Amino acid sequence: MALTVGYRQLLDEANARIETLPLDRAAALHGDPDTLFVDIRDPRELARDGMIPGAFHAPRGMLEFWVDPDSPYHKPVFASGQRLVLYCASAWRSALSTDLLQRMGVPRVCHLEGGFSAWKKAGLPVDVRSSGGPEGGGG
Ligand SMILES: O=S(=O)([O-])[S-]
C-alpha cells in the first residue's frame, strides 16, 4: 500500500514547526507553577512505567476535545494559560500532538525531547502510578 504521507514525513513536518524542549531545560522547568507537563500516553503505559511527578494525564485520543473550550469534554486545566510540555514515550506522538495543539491556537506548547524514556534514563524523578488511580496532578 502506497500512502500519500507516511509517518516519517508527518514527524519531519511537525518537528520543523514545533518547539522541542531539551531534557535539561525540561528538568529545570519541572515544578515551575507556570508549566504543566502533559502525559499523552495510554493508561497502561503509565501503570507500567510510571510518569513525571505532577504531570497531567491526557490520553492522546482525547487531547483536542479536552483542550477546546467549546468541546463538551473540555478540561479547565487547559485554559490555565500555563506553558504545556507534552510528552509520550519517545517523542513521536508528542511531536504530532504538539503540532496539532499549535495549529488549534494553543499559545505556549512544546514537547519533551526524547520523551519519558529519555527523562527516566537521565535519572529524573518518576512517580509510580497504580492503575485506576487519580488522573494526575495539575488540575
Ligand atoms: O510515540 S512514541 O514516541 O511514544 S513511540
Side-chain angles (χ1 to χ4, degrees):
M1 175 183 56
L3 297 173
T4 314
V5 182
Y7 83 97
R8 257 286 148 222
Q9 186 180 342
L10 288 175
L11 287 172
D12 288 347
E13 289 173 358
N15 278 312
R17 287 189 288 255
I18 63 174
E19 180 189 354
T20 300
L21 194 65
L23 197 55
D24 59 336
R25 280 203 55 218
L29 283 172
H30 186 232
D32 168 22
D34 192 37
T35 299
L36 180 66
F37 283 75
V38 180
D39 191 321
I40 63 163
R41 294 173 300 155
D42 293 338
R44 271 173 303 189
E45 296 177 86
L46 274 67
R48 186 189 62 208
D49 302 326
M51 65 189 293
I52 295 179
F56 184 79
H57 179 223
R60 186 182 175 213
M62 288 308 292
L63 202 54
E64 303 90 314
F65 309 101
W66 285 14
V67 166
D68 187 342
D70 292 334
S71 155
Y73 302 107
H74 176 64
K75 297 270 186 194
V77 66
F78 287 108
S80 69
Q82 288 168 295
R83 172 193 300 107
L84 303 180
V85 180
L86 270 51
Y87 71 91
C88 58
S90 301
W92 284 7
R93 285 169 289 181
S94 61
L96 299 183
S97 295
T98 299
D99 192 34
L100 186 72
L101 295 200
Q102 193 165 277
R103 188 167 157 228
M104 288 174 77
V106 173
R108 296 194 297 160
V109 59
C110 60
H111 80 137
L112 174 64
E113 179 181 40
F116 182 69
S117 52
W119 178 277
K120 205 170 178 176
K121 196 169 164 208
L124 291 162
V126 169
D127 253 3
V128 176
R129 180 175 197 242
S130 55
S131 49
E135 274 298 321

